[in-house]
Amino acid sequence: MFWFKKLLPRILFGIGIALIIASAFATQYGVKTSSSWSIGYNSQSTPAILAAVLPTGSGIAQINITGVSQALYLNLTGNPLTLLGEAGGLGLKTVNTISHDDFQTGVYYLVTGLQGNPITAEQAFQGLVKNAQKIGNSYVVKKSLNPEESIVVLAFPNSSTVLITESFKVTGYGHISLINGLELGLALAIVSIIIEIITRKR
Amino acid sequence: MSLKKSWELALIDLWDSLRPPSFDIMLILVATLSGILSVLEPVTTPPAVGNAVLGAVLFVTSLYLALRASSDLVNLVQTGVMPLYLTYPISRRNISLIIYLTRVLLPSIILLGIPAIVAGIMLYPVVGKNISEFLIMWIAYLIQAQLYGSIFILASNKSKSTGTAAVVSITGYFGYTATSLILALVGSIDNIKILTNIANSMGLYNPVYDILNGIRTPTWEIFVVPVIFIVLFITYVIYFTRRFEV
Amino acid sequence: MEDLIVLENVTKRYGKITALNDVSLKVKKGEIMAIVGPNGAGKSTLIKVSLGLLRKDKGTVLIFNKDPFYDPSAREKIGVIFERPSLPVSMPIIEFLSHVSKIYNKDFNTIKEVIDLVGLKGSENKAFSQLSAGQRQRAAIAHALIAEPEIIIADEPTSNLDPVERNKILDLFLKINKERDLTIIISSHVLPEVLRVSSKITIMKSGKILKVGEPDDIVKNISISRIRCKDPFTIKDVLEKNGFSLNIEGGNIYVKTEDSEKTSKLLNLISEIVKNGQQIYGIELIEPGIEEILEG
């Protein structure tokens, strides 16, 4: 098994180097576990507004909306953007779509206006939706999401500007700490060098 | 006895197949790539870790396999090492399996396996939730790599020319992935479900990921890649056994 | 004696080119069979078809009464040496031979024996790429001997070597043949080179076997005299008037004689020419080449 003795240190060395680089990278540019995004949305020509939080992983999503008379929400599995296409089929048109992508938190925030008959919009989502909780002047939706799930809020403005704050907190994620990663990486690299030296001496 | 002979030949060929430094450079590259990818976005389930890390690694591994198959395998023939192998008292079928093992299967196991180990260590709190799901995703990627690998090995055996083999291999790989992309795009734009399904099925990791995440997927999608791979693999073995000349 | 290798009416085509045309050949146990022919004669194709590396389009190929293309056990007792010695480049010779010995179920002593026999002691830990051309050929011979074969097939084993190494390698073949009673097939495009080592010669051209026989039968009494002189054209006229067929190449006169009487007559005539004042620097009798044999 001469080849294997040769291969083993190479593999250990590769893993060691990768752990050192990845741990250092994670500290500088790695995942953020929470993020939020706020926008003042001009709702003068839009009878309804759709706000969505689309994460890639699991976590707790929260949407706060101020300046609306009613807010309904629904949980979706799969790609919620297809919902917009289906809304189009009901005579509803999406306008003035604004989005924000936070790659490090793995979440995509979206706000879009819906033009058309607001009653149609309400009817279109009826049966699927639940009423959002009202806290003070704001409607608040806070939901725990599994991977491949997203949350969509349908709101009906009663002022010219609607203030929307969307946030997401990642749950179920964790990675090796910088110090553990460096220690393990270094240990593997050293072990691989020792094995290589012993093999060569033999 | 025949197995023992074949194993010895496999050890000889592995020496060449895994020789430094190109293999080591690739090993460090894919391992580091997977380490970085694993901490770039918050993946919270083992199958998602598999997808986040192994997708890019599969791309790099496939290119490596294509280039090594076209240059090394053709070199084996041109330098007379392959004729030497064929003079041993080992059946052609076994030699074809050895070449597949040393030139496709083992390199892809290592080049996909080491990144998976790195990702597993980096994200141990996530992967540790369900290691078997992570393994299933890894196997899906490994089978996908076998599909590409069998295209490459068939091309280099048939052409016996480095240039032709490289062109056919790379064209085959990008042709396959481009077809899947176009089908997905057309299926999505025109809302043609079957095209979306076919595109999905062309990457085994897609239906496997969907099933692991409880997303409804037609069962046939799982069989597309393995069936194409088996057909290509059998074609390669038959070609090598009956028609391959050096 | 039993025929170890039998080819009957074998034809091999590469597209429209016929590399072997209805070739039949038998090699008996203990023979050193030289396959001689110019480049493109079909020697390598014949060897590759015999080993089962190439498919035949027609005919029968049997080694130890088995078809080597389909039956790997036919290759159990064969050692092969190719024109360009081709072992895995980066692997130490000893490591490589160790794996090969296991393929043939031989122990480590066999490796030591063959390394000693081919004169590779001291270089066995080097990688193949670190060896000189002569050492590479010796390593290839050692590799061929690991199987303790009954037949060695060598395709132009000396073509990449200098004259001194060529002779050493050919002597090694003779030694192996005598010590181990091996059947050896050597291909070459240089007839004189194999004349002294072979017990049988097959002459090939354009994919066909033209002659098969023992060296003396093949060469008969044909000899070539190379005359180095100051004025080849004057001497040429004298020789031609006396009925000798000759040609001039590189300032030397090459005269072909078919029997000893004619060779004697030529030497007498040369003596007369010298007496008449022509300056001759030297005269050598050399073995005929393939072309002379075929013409003769």
Side-chain angles (χ1 to χ4, degrees):
Chain A
M1 299 299 273
F2 193 72
W3 71 273
F4 182 69
K5 287 181 207 160
K6 282 272 183 196
L7 191 61
L8 184 67
R10 291 156 68 191
I11 287 176
L12 291 180
F13 187 76
I15 295 175
I17 295 296
L19 285 177
I20 292 169
I21 295 174
S23 301
F25 184 88
T27 314
Q28 281 296 313
Y29 309 102
V31 166
K32 287 192 300 180
T33 49
S34 64
S35 79
S36 73
W37 177 64
S38 295
I39 187 167
Y41 191 85
N42 184 350
S43 59
Q44 274 172 340
S45 55
T46 49
I49 292 172
L50 232 159
V53 177
L54 293 72
T56 54
S58 58
I60 299 162
Q62 184 170 332
I63 301 177
N64 287 27
I65 302 186
T66 310
V68 294
S69 58
Q70 190 188 4
L72 307 164
Y73 75 91
L74 71 159
N75 266 34
L76 285 174
T77 303
N79 185 359
L81 297 178
T82 54
L83 194 72
L84 298 178
E86 284 171 23
L90 294 167
L92 296 168
K93 193 176 146 198
T94 57
V95 289
N96 192 21
T97 303
I98 302 167
S99 64
H100 174 70
D101 190 0
D102 190 334
F103 188 76
Q104 280 180 291
T105 324
V107 64
Y108 185 72
Y109 300 115
L110 176 95
V111 174
T112 188
L114 284 179
Q115 276 185 343
N117 186 351
I119 296 165
T120 314
E122 197 175 343
Q123 284 171 346
F125 296 103
Q126 219 165 33
L128 302 168
V129 296
K130 291 174 187 166
N131 279 308
Q133 191 186 359
K134 191 173 183 189
I135 300 172
N137 291 333
S138 300
Y139 283 90
V140 179
V141 176
K142 189 175 182 181
K143 290 298 290 181
S144 181
L145 301 177
N146 290 320
E148 301 299 316
E149 275 185 356
S150 53
I151 188 155
V152 178
V153 174
L154 179 68
F156 302 96
N158 59 5
S159 69
S160 58
T161 302
V162 175
L163 187 66
I164 303 160
T165 302
E166 299 185 339
S167 64
F168 185 70
K169 191 174 185 312
V170 177
T171 56
Y173 177 80
H175 65 72
I176 198 168
S177 67
L178 172 67
I179 193 73
N180 285 348
L182 289 179
E183 278 173 1
L184 186 59
L186 266 174
L188 286 175
I190 290 167
V191 167
S192 72
I193 291 166
I194 291 169
I195 294 175
E196 180 68 24
I197 290 168
I198 293 169
T199 316
R200 283 195 186 184
K201 272 189 179 171
R202 278 181 187 171
Chain B
M1 193 57 78
S2 172
L3 201 66
K4 189 186 155 225
K5 289 176 182 178
S6 303
W7 177 240
E8 291 300 330
L9 182 57
L11 293 179
I12 293 172
D13 200 52
L14 267 180
W15 186 284
D16 184 59
S17 161
L18 304 180
R19 72 175 185 273
S22 58
F23 186 76
D24 299 69
I25 293 168
M26 273 306 296
L27 194 68
I28 292 175
L29 178 78
V30 291
T32 307
L33 180 70
S34 75
I36 289 173
L37 287 173
S38 67
V39 294
L40 215 52
E41 63 172 323
V43 277
T44 53
T45 61
V49 174
N51 259 357
V53 171
L54 296 175
V57 171
L58 176 67
F59 173 72
V60 180
T61 302
S62 302
L63 290 185
Y64 176 81
L65 289 179
L67 294 175
R68 288 299 291 260
S70 54
S71 66
D72 288 5
L73 271 175
V74 173
N75 257 350
L76 274 189
V77 174
Q78 288 176 349
T79 57
V81 175
M82 182 70 90
L84 204 68
Y85 289 173
L86 289 169
T87 64
Y88 294 137
I90 299 171
S91 70
R92 278 177 165 253
R93 193 197 59 206
N94 281 9
I95 294 176
S96 73
L97 297 177
I98 290 164
I99 298 293
Y100 185 83
L101 174 82
T102 57
R103 303 288 164 169
V104 178
L105 185 60
L106 264 175
S108 53
I109 285 177
I110 295 172
L111 291 178
L112 285 169
I114 301 306
I117 291 171
V118 170
I121 295 172
M122 287 301 296
L123 299 181
Y124 72 90
V126 182
V127 174
K129 285 181 207 167
N130 196 335
I131 290 176
S132 54
E133 282 190 354
F134 184 64
L135 267 177
I136 290 168
M137 280 306 287
W138 181 77
I139 290 168
Y141 276 95
L142 185 66
I143 293 172
Q144 191 77 22
Q146 302 318 296
L147 185 153
Y148 300 140
S150 44
I151 296 175
F152 306 151
I153 203 163
L154 198 55
S156 48
N157 272 297
K158 184 82 183 77
S159 71
K160 288 190 225 113
S161 143
T162 308
T164 313
V167 169
V168 172
S169 298
I170 302 287
T171 310
Y173 172 72
F174 282 109
Y176 184 86
T177 46
T179 305
S180 142
L181 205 69
I182 290 165
L183 288 176
L185 210 65
V186 174
S188 162
I189 291 169
D190 294 342
N191 206 14
I192 307 171
K193 188 82 176 134
I194 186 69
L195 292 187
T196 316
N197 286 341
I198 292 171
N200 209 43
S201 70
M202 288 175 79
L204 179 60
Y205 38 83
N206 294 323
V208 169
Y209 178 84
D210 289 348
I211 288 167
L212 289 176
N213 282 288
I215 299 167
R216 284 184 64 185
T217 308
T219 315
W220 61 263
E221 282 191 16
I222 292 192
F223 298 103
V224 172
V225 166
V227 165
I228 298 174
F229 159 60
I230 288 167
V231 168
L232 285 170
F233 179 73
I234 290 173
T235 309
Y236 155 72
V237 173
I238 290 174
Y239 178 79
F240 195 98
T241 309
R242 296 192 186 164
R243 305 202 67 85
F244 184 67
E245 294 184 320
V246 285
Chain C
M1 265 196 277
E2 66 176 307
D3 294 323
L4 298 188
I5 300 179
V6 177
L7 280 85
E8 276 174 7
N9 309 109
V10 174
T11 298
K12 172 67 192 171
R13 293 186 195 92
Y14 297 111
K16 287 180 180 172
I17 299 164
T18 304
L20 289 181
N21 192 354
D22 207 27
V23 166
S24 295
L25 184 71
K26 287 179 179 174
V27 183
K28 290 187 188 306
K29 186 172 168 54
E31 274 182 352
I32 300 186
M33 164 74 84
I35 300 170
V36 185
N39 289 332
K43 306 184 294 292
S44 293
T45 305
L46 177 75
I47 283 179
K48 286 181 173 177
V49 168
S50 304
L51 286 166
L53 303 181
L54 294 175
R55 283 179 306 128
K56 58 194 182 296
D57 294 306
K58 210 188 90 187
T60 309
V61 177
L62 294 172
I63 297 187
F64 301 114
N65 288 319
K66 295 165 188 167
D67 186 332
F69 192 91
Y70 297 104
D71 189 345
S73 67
R75 302 190 290 266
E76 193 85 53
K77 289 277 173 195
I78 294 183
V80 184
I81 301 152
F82 288 111
E83 180 180 355
R84 271 193 314 182
S86 46
L87 309 188
V89 283
S90 61
M91 191 183 247
I93 295 299
I94 191 83
E95 173 79 12
F96 175 60
L97 293 182
S98 158
H99 287 302
V100 176
S101 69
K102 287 172 192 159
I103 292 176
Y104 291 103
N105 297 317
K106 304 296 172 194
D107 58 18
F108 199 74
N109 285 335
T110 315
I111 303 171
K112 284 206 289 195
E113 267 175 41
V114 296
I115 283 178
D116 284 348
L117 181 67
V118 301
L120 209 61
K121 206 171 180 183
S123 303
E124 65 267 36
N125 288 315
K126 288 183 183 171
F128 186 67
S129 56
Q130 294 172 315
L131 301 178
S132 69
Q135 283 177 318
R136 286 182 183 196
Q137 201 55 278
R138 283 168 193 278
I141 296 171
H143 167 259
L145 290 171
I146 283 284
E148 295 183 338
E150 287 182 28
I151 305 172
I152 291 260
I153 299 181
D155 186 9
E156 306 230 16
T158 56
S159 66
N160 292 315
L161 304 177
D162 61 48
V164 178
E165 277 293 342
R166 282 178 178 218
N167 279 331
K168 284 183 182 171
I169 294 294
L170 289 171
D171 286 343
L172 185 57
F173 279 122
L174 265 180
K175 188 179 165 190
I176 294 165
N177 170 255
K178 283 185 183 137
E179 283 182 6
R180 302 193 165 201
D181 192 27
L182 287 189
T183 305
I184 298 176
I185 297 174
I186 302 178
S187 76
S188 176
H189 57 273
V190 187
L191 178 63
E193 187 177 275
V194 293
L195 271 176
R196 71 182 180 89
V197 295
S198 54
S199 56
K200 213 165 193 183
I201 292 175
T202 298
I203 294 189
M204 289 187 75
K205 196 177 179 186
S206 307
K208 287 185 175 174
I209 290 180
L210 301 182
K211 284 188 178 183
V212 181
E214 290 178 11
D216 288 347
D217 294 336
I218 294 284
V219 178
K220 292 181 184 143
N221 285 316
I222 296 172
S223 68
I224 304 292
S225 303
R226 178 167 61 197
I227 303 163
R228 289 183 286 118
C229 56
K230 190 175 182 182
D231 182 5
F233 293 98
T234 308
I235 296 172
K236 175 183 177 250
D237 290 342
V238 177
L239 293 175
E240 276 178 345
K241 274 177 195 163
N242 283 278
F244 287 100
S245 67
L246 55 87
N247 58 42
I248 297 177
E249 268 176 43
N252 297 326
I253 303 170
Y254 289 85
V255 188
K256 181 174 140 187
T257 49
E258 285 85 11
D259 52 53
S260 54
E261 198 179 317
K262 211 144 189 216
T263 308
S264 172
K265 189 183 163 192
L266 171 70
L267 294 175
N268 287 333
L269 191 57
I270 297 286
S271 169
E272 288 298 317
I273 290 169
V274 173
K275 278 180 193 164
N276 291 337
Q278 286 291 329
Q279 199 170 352
I280 290 185
Y281 305 130
I283 179 165
E284 296 141 292
L285 290 177
I286 58 175
E287 297 103 330
I290 301 163
E291 295 304 322
E292 286 88 8
I293 296 285
L294 295 177
E295 282 167 17

